[in-house]
Amino acid sequence: MGEGGLARMKKRIALLAAAAVVMITVIALAVILPKTTEKSFFAMNTVCTAKIKSTDSKNDAAKIESIVAGLEENVLSRQNGNSLTARLNSNGGGEVDEKMGSYMSVLLDVCKKSGGSFDFTLGEVSDIWGFGAETAVPNPYVLYNALKRTGYEKLDISGSSVTFGDKFLVDFGAAGKGIALDEIRTYLDESETKEAVISIGGSILLYGEKNFSVGIRNPEGNAGSYVAILDIPAGCVSTSGSYERYFEEDGKIYHHIIDPETGYPAKSGVVSVTVVSESGILSDALSTACFVLGIEKGAALAAEYGCETVFIDENKTVFVSDGLRDRIEITDAAYSSAE
Ligand code: AMP
Ligand code: MG
């Protein structure tokens, strides 16, 4: 080989080596760089969405779906007779693991602090109302008798043992979405996730080191139509609204959030309550509690837990707690701030 040929070969080898380096770098970056996956699924009787940015986002999104489905099926569902909740309900209590013990303790505390406006033993009353495809206002006598078979005061937790002092049905309908968000966060903390937004019905987990924009749903509009936007850091946001599940009979609206004192849908003048908290279970339980309690008592209860609130009343007035005042923008001209 002449000198020219040798030089050409050296050049070719150098080019090949450079190409190999580029290829290896591209492959390495494809593995290391975070990707975003968006996924929707149905669980806990509602639509769920997961948007996740991580190096293994597809797998993480699938895992999130299985966390929610597994929690529902094995732990919280009242329909699946094998779930822990269904077994507790049919046996009037029993042994619980540490997680269930702590969920119940947190909820029992909300029951007590709300003076019983939140009560997760209303299962039978909720069943009578139904809020399924076929619904009608229940017979008052039937409702009255069902109401007698409720009452968090009769629930006792000591160690890993839960005892129902009477026959009632524990119902996680008001807090299960938040519990799922807390479990998802535990998973995300152990994964390579940079950012995630997970929504389970009206409860949302914001995950990552940045601020997020969260819309507060228009109580009179479709999902995706908002009246205000929050600009907040990572945490949990839950909204309870009378628009979520309801039916109409003789021109009257009956919604799914029950006043435990009467057994009828709560009438506190509120149409939607949003609670912002570090904790999923608290944001979810408190949004339901605040709906029943109304603006003044509800805001005070949330403050006791260090949570922030946005209430919307029947007159389209928006009441915002101090910690969110600089973080909210009302975007619908039909709604106005209380001040
Ligand atoms: P949420 O959408 O989180 O406000 O929860 C509403 C669900 O909580 C209902 O569908 C019932 O299963 C349950 N629920 C209704 N009223 C109450 C109440 N006062 N306390 C606790 N749970 C309730
Ligand atoms: Mg709730």
Side-chain angles (χ1 to χ4, degrees):
M1 195 185 292
E3 257 182 40
L6 197 63
R8 269 200 302 280
M9 185 177 273
K10 276 188 179 163
K11 204 171 163 191
R12 212 171 285 161
I13 290 170
L15 273 173
L16 278 171
V21 168
V22 169
M23 256 174 69
I24 289 165
T25 312
V26 166
I27 291 168
L29 282 177
V31 175
I32 298 164
L33 277 184
K35 292 169 279 291
T36 299
T37 296
E38 288 190 59
K39 179 171 196 167
S40 296
F41 53 96
F42 193 84
M44 297 194 161
N45 229 351
T46 190
V47 176
C48 309
T49 62
K51 183 173 179 183
I52 179 154
K53 187 174 172 187
S54 73
T55 48
D56 199 5
S57 59
K58 228 172 150 185
N59 177 48
D60 289 330
K63 183 72 191 170
I64 285 164
E65 180 176 0
S66 76
I67 289 171
V68 183
L71 179 69
E72 182 181 19
E73 190 179 333
N74 304 320
V75 186
L76 302 180
S77 167
R78 291 201 288 126
Q79 284 71 42
N80 173 18
N82 288 324
S83 82
L84 180 53
T85 300
R87 280 182 283 128
L88 290 172
N89 281 341
S90 65
N91 299 330
E95 288 298 301
V96 294
D97 58 13
E98 212 173 297
K99 274 188 185 171
M100 178 56 109
S102 87
Y103 304 152
M104 285 190 149
S105 300
V106 169
L107 296 185
L108 206 49
D109 192 59
V110 177
C111 291
K112 289 176 188 161
K113 289 204 170 95
S114 68
S117 288
F118 182 87
D119 189 338
F120 69 120
T121 69
L122 286 181
E124 195 178 330
V125 172
S126 284
D127 287 349
I128 285 173
W129 280 99
F131 299 106
E134 301 271 328
T135 353
V137 178
N139 174 312
Y141 183 71
V142 172
L143 199 56
Y144 175 76
N145 279 316
L147 202 56
K148 283 200 275 188
R149 289 186 290 275
T150 67
Y152 70 93
E153 308 92 334
K154 297 175 251 173
L155 187 136
D156 183 65
I157 309 169
S158 28
S160 62
S161 227
V162 175
T163 321
F164 295 6
D166 206 346
K167 184 111 192 94
F168 52 71
L169 300 178
V170 158
D171 168 33
F172 285 95
K177 301 173 283 315
I179 290 171
L181 295 182
D182 285 334
E183 298 217 343
I184 290 168
R185 179 167 39 203
T186 303
Y187 168 77
L188 294 178
D189 281 344
E190 286 161 9
S191 72
E192 300 289 320
T193 302
K194 296 270 173 281
E195 280 166 31
V197 177
I198 316 294
S199 75
I200 304 179
S203 292
I204 306 170
L205 168 68
L206 308 168
Y207 188 91
E209 285 173 14
K210 62 168 215 172
N211 272 11
F212 297 81
S213 289
V214 182
I216 296 183
R217 187 171 154 178
N218 182 348
E220 294 177 358
N222 300 324
S225 141
Y226 303 110
V227 297
I229 306 285
L230 288 170
D231 178 40
I232 49 176
C236 293
V237 187
S238 287
T239 300
S240 284
S242 44
Y243 55 82
E244 281 201 42
R245 220 160 276 162
Y246 65 90
F247 65 89
E248 201 174 331
E249 193 177 294
D250 297 332
K252 269 184 82 179
I253 299 283
Y254 296 88
H255 62 78
H256 69 309
I257 303 176
I258 306 293
D259 182 346
E261 217 164 284
T262 63
Y264 283 83
K267 279 194 223 157
S268 58
V270 164
V271 290
S272 131
V273 188
T274 300
V275 176
V276 179
S277 169
E278 287 278 300
S279 150
I281 186 171
L282 277 181
S283 69
D284 196 358
L286 287 174
S287 66
T288 311
C290 287
F291 191 100
V292 180
L293 282 168
I295 298 166
E296 215 168 294
K297 288 185 184 164
L301 175 70
E304 231 181 288
Y305 282 99
C307 301
E308 303 294 336
T309 49
V310 180
F311 288 79
I312 302 177
D313 76 3
E314 288 164 343
N315 302 318
K316 297 187 167 57
T317 307
V318 184
F319 298 77
V320 184
S321 65
D322 289 346
L324 291 178
R325 250 187 222 142
D326 298 332
R327 292 185 171 278
I328 190 166
E329 186 194 346
I330 297 174
T331 49
D332 186 325
Y335 289 76
S336 59
S337 172
E339 286 83 25

